[in-house]
Amino acid sequence: MIALSVTWDDIGGLVDAHERFLAGARVDSDVRGAVLDSWKRCRSVGLDPDRMLVRYAPDLALDERFLQAAEPVLQRLTGSLREVGMTIALCDGQGRMIQRVDGDRRLRGRLDEVRFAPGFDASEQVVGTNGVGTALAERGPVYVVGREHFADCLQPFACAGAPVRNPLSGHIEAVLDLTCLRDDGDPLMLRLVRDAARDIEGRLLEQATRRERALLAAYRRAGRVAGGWPQQPAGDGDGLGRVDLAVLREKAEELIAAPHRTLDEVMLSGGRSAMLLRRQVRGAAGETGVVVEARILGGTGPVGLTGTDLGGTGPVGPPGRDIGGTGPAGLAGVELGARVSPAATVGTAMPATAGSPAANIPTLLLPQPPQLPTPAPEPATGDRLLLIGDPGVGRLAVLARRRLELLHEAGARIGTTLDVARTAEELAEVAVPHFADFTAVDLPDPVLHGEEPGPLGVDPPLRRVAVGSVREEPDLYGVGDQVGYVPSTPQARSLETGQAVLEPVLAEAGGWLAQDPARLTRVLRAGIHSLITVPLRARGTTLGVVSFYRSGQPAPFEEDDLSLAQELAGRAAICIDNARRYTREHTTALALQRSLLPKGRPEQSAVEVAYRYLPAQAGVGGDWFDVIPLSGARVALVVGDVVGHGLHAAATMGRLRTAVHNFCSLDLPPDELLTHLDDLVGRLDRGEGWAVDSGQADSGIVGATCLYAVYDPVARRCTLTRAGHPLPAVVGPDGGVDFVDLPAGQPLGLGGMPFETVEVELAEGSQLVLYTDGLIEDRHQDIDAGLDRLRTVLAHAGRPPEETCEAVLDAMLPARPSDDVALLVARTQVLGPERVAQWELPSDPAVVSRSRAAVTEQLAAWGLDELSFTVELVASELVTNAIRHATGPVQLRLLRDRALICEVSDGSGTSPRLRRARTEDEGGRGLFLVAQLTERWGTRYTSDGKIIWTELPLP
C-alpha cells in the first residue's frame, strides 16, 4: 500500500463547490448529477480527499479469451492516440489496473507521481471519484475532470471510463479508461472509450457464435456417421403448432441448464408427448456443448431440440442412438436477475431439415451468427435437432426468462391497492423466495400518512412496514419497529446517494454490523450472507428503502443482481408514491368533510340525540346530518345526501349544510326551507356558483336528497318533509316501529313541485330515526329488504339512542361500507306544564298592566325574582306593540328551558324591525330596548300570524 497526500491547484467553480460539499452545504445546482452522487458515496464510506490509502494487487491478469477479444481493439485505439497526450488503462471487473499503455513523457511523469500503474486499485470506495471506479459504480460510461475527482491527488487529470460486459451474461469483465492531464481533457474522450468497449463486446460475441458453429458442425458430422439428417421440417409432419414448439423449446432450455438431468418428458396437445434427451457434443477444436433431441410419441414422426452447455466432456453419439446418452456436463452462467446484454444468444435453432439449418437467436440479440453451408440431403433418423449452442447461454436463457416472469409478476401483483403499507407488503411477497430469502421495506411515518417525506436517515428513524421471509428471522427487525440506520450502513448510504448498494459478503461488511453488532452477529450465524439495499425513489423523491437478503444455499448477490433489484424497487416506489398521494388526497378530503360535519351536540332540551357517520370505502362523500336548536325550545333534525364521492361532493355538502343553518335562523316552515334549498341546488347545477380563485363555474351536476323535521317539545308534535330521501322511522316507547307515511318529493335541484309536510304526535320517549340510503341499500340488497332489516333491529323498547346507533350499524353494515352512512337517532322529551305559562290577552291596552303582574307572579313561583324587572319590561313592550300594531287575539307565553323564553303571538303577518329613533321621535325605542335586555330575539311566522320571541339567560 502507499499513502498519497499530493494537492494540486484547480480552476473554475468546482473549487468552491467541492469545498462547500465537504463542509456540508448544498451544491446540487453546481455539480453534475453523476459526480455529486459519487461524492456522496465517497463521503458515506469515510474517504478523506487529501489523504488516500491506495491498495495494490500484484500479478493480476484477465483470461485469455477476453485478451484475445480486446487486443486488436486496444491496438487500434493506441494508434489513433499516438500523437495525443493520453494513456489507456485496462482494469479488471473490480477496478484494479491490469495494463497501462503510456502517453507522452509529461503525462507519464505525473501518473507515476501518484503511482497510477498496474496493480493500482481504482475502485471508488478506495480512491474516490474517478473514471474507473465511478464507471463501475454507475455501471456505465463516465467522464471526470479536475476537481470533479474526490481525491486531491487525482485532480490534475481528466479521465473517461466505460465498463466492458460479457455480451451473453451481462457481467462487467473489465473497465477501459482514457486518462490525460486536466487541461487536455475533452468530453469526446467519453465517446472514444465507449466505442472501444462496444468493439470488445462485439468480438466477445463473435467468439461465442464461432463456438456455436463449431458445435453444430460436430453434431452434423455425427449425424452423417449415423445415417444422415432428417429432411422433414420441424413440426411439419407431426402437426405441431406454435404452442407445442414453444413448450418444447422452453423445456429444452431448462434441460440444458440442468447439469445433472439427461431426460425429460413433455406433454403436448392432442394427447401426445415428447421425450427429451440431453447429450454432450465436442467440436473439432475441443469445444464442448450439449444438444437436446426430442422424440414425439403419439404423432407421425419425431422432432428434435437442442440447447447449450459449457464444459461438458466426452464424445457425442450419433442421433438416434440409445437414449442413455452421456454423463452430465459442466455448467456456467449467472444468477437469477443478471443483466442480459442485448447481444446475448440462447442457442442455435435448427429446423429438422437438410435444406436450411439456420442459426436462430430467440432471446435478446443484436447480430445473427453467420449461416452455415447447406449440406446435401440425407436419409431421416429417429431423433431430430432444433437448437444447439453453449450451456452457459442455455442457463442464461432460463434465468432471463425467470427474470422476465418475476418482473411480470411484480407488475401484476404490486400496486393492486392504493394503500401504502399493503403495497410494501406486495413488494416483499413478490421478491421472496424467487429473488431473495428475506426482504424488508422501511418507510418514514410521513409517507404512511400521505405526507411528503423529509430527509431520511437516523433522525427521524424509519419504520419497518413489511417483511417477507422464507422462514422466521427473529433477530431482524419486525413489522412496526423503528429503525434508525447509522451512517455506515448500506441502507444509510443508499439513502444518501440515491443508488443501490451491494454487500456480497455481510460477514466482511463492518458498516452493516455497526448498526447492532450483537443482533446482526446472530443474523450471520443464522445463515444470511449477502445484501442488496435499494432506495425507493419516485418522481425525484426518496420514499424509503428496501433490503434484499440471501441466506443458505443460494449464491450470494452479484453486481448484475442490482439491475433486477432496482427494477423491482422502482416499480414498487411508483406504486407506493401513488398510494401516498391518494392517502394525502383522501385524508385532505376526509378532513374537509369532517370539518363540515357537526363537532358536538348542541345545547337543547327537546331531544336526546346520538349519531354516527361512516365514510365509504371508495372515499369521502356528501352525507351530512344536523341538530339545530330553534326558537320556542324546538329543535330541527336534518339528514342529507349529496350524490357522488370526493372533494366536490364534500364541498357541496358543506354549502348545503350552511344554507340549512341560515334558513333555520329565519324560522322558515319545513316545506319553505326545502323550497329555498331546492332553488340553491338548481343554481349550483346551472353554474351560478363561481370559484373565488379560478373564476370558473362549479363543475359537475349536483344531486342531493334531504329530510327535514322540526320537533316541538311543548306540543309533542313533529313536522316533517323530505326531498327524495328515505323514510324516517319512529320507535314508540313500547318498541313498536313505524315508518312515517311521508310524501317522497323530488330530489333537490329539479324544481317545479312543492314539498309536502306531515305532522305527527310523538309520545315522550319515542325515538325518531333518520338515516341516509347507504344504511339500507347497496348492490347486494334492495331498499325494501333493507327497511325490513332496519325495522327488526329497531324493534326494542327502552334502548338509549347510543345503543340504538350501535345496534343498527352492527346489524346493517359490513366492515367497510360501499357508500357513506349518516345515522341520527333522537329520543323525544317533553317540556311539561310546570315549565310553561300561557295567557290569552284581549286587544285592550288595559291588559298590559295585568300581563306585567302575571309575569311577576309566575317568575316568583319559579324562583326567578331577579329577572322580574327585565321580563316585565320585555313582556310589556311586546304586548303593547301587538295590541297597537297587530290584529286578532294576543297570546303571552313563558317557557322555562335552558333559557327563559318570552313569546308574544298575534294574528298579523307584519314583522317588526329594529330601527334607531331620532332625537325628536316620541316612540320607536321599545324594540331597541328589548334587543339590549335579551340575549336573542326574533320573529317566526305561523299559519295564522306571527310570534315575537326573546331569550334571557337564567341566573
Side-chain angles (χ1 to χ4, degrees), residues 220 224 228-231 353-355 357 373-379:
R220 294 174 58 78
R224 294 191 186 96
W229 282 88
Q231 301 185 38
T353 175
T374 302
E378 302 279 358

Side-chain angles (χ1 to χ4, degrees), residues 918-951:
R918 292 173 295 182
T919 306
E920 63 273 15
D921 289 344
E922 295 183 0
R925 298 176 179 85
L927 203 56
F928 177 78
L929 289 174
V930 169
Q932 294 297 311
L933 294 173
T934 61
E935 189 175 62
R936 297 172 59 224
W937 76 279
T939 304
R940 73 172 180 269
Y941 294 93
T942 63
S943 58
D944 53 3
K946 68 175 182 297
I947 298 174
I948 309 297
W949 57 268
T950 64
E951 290 185 2

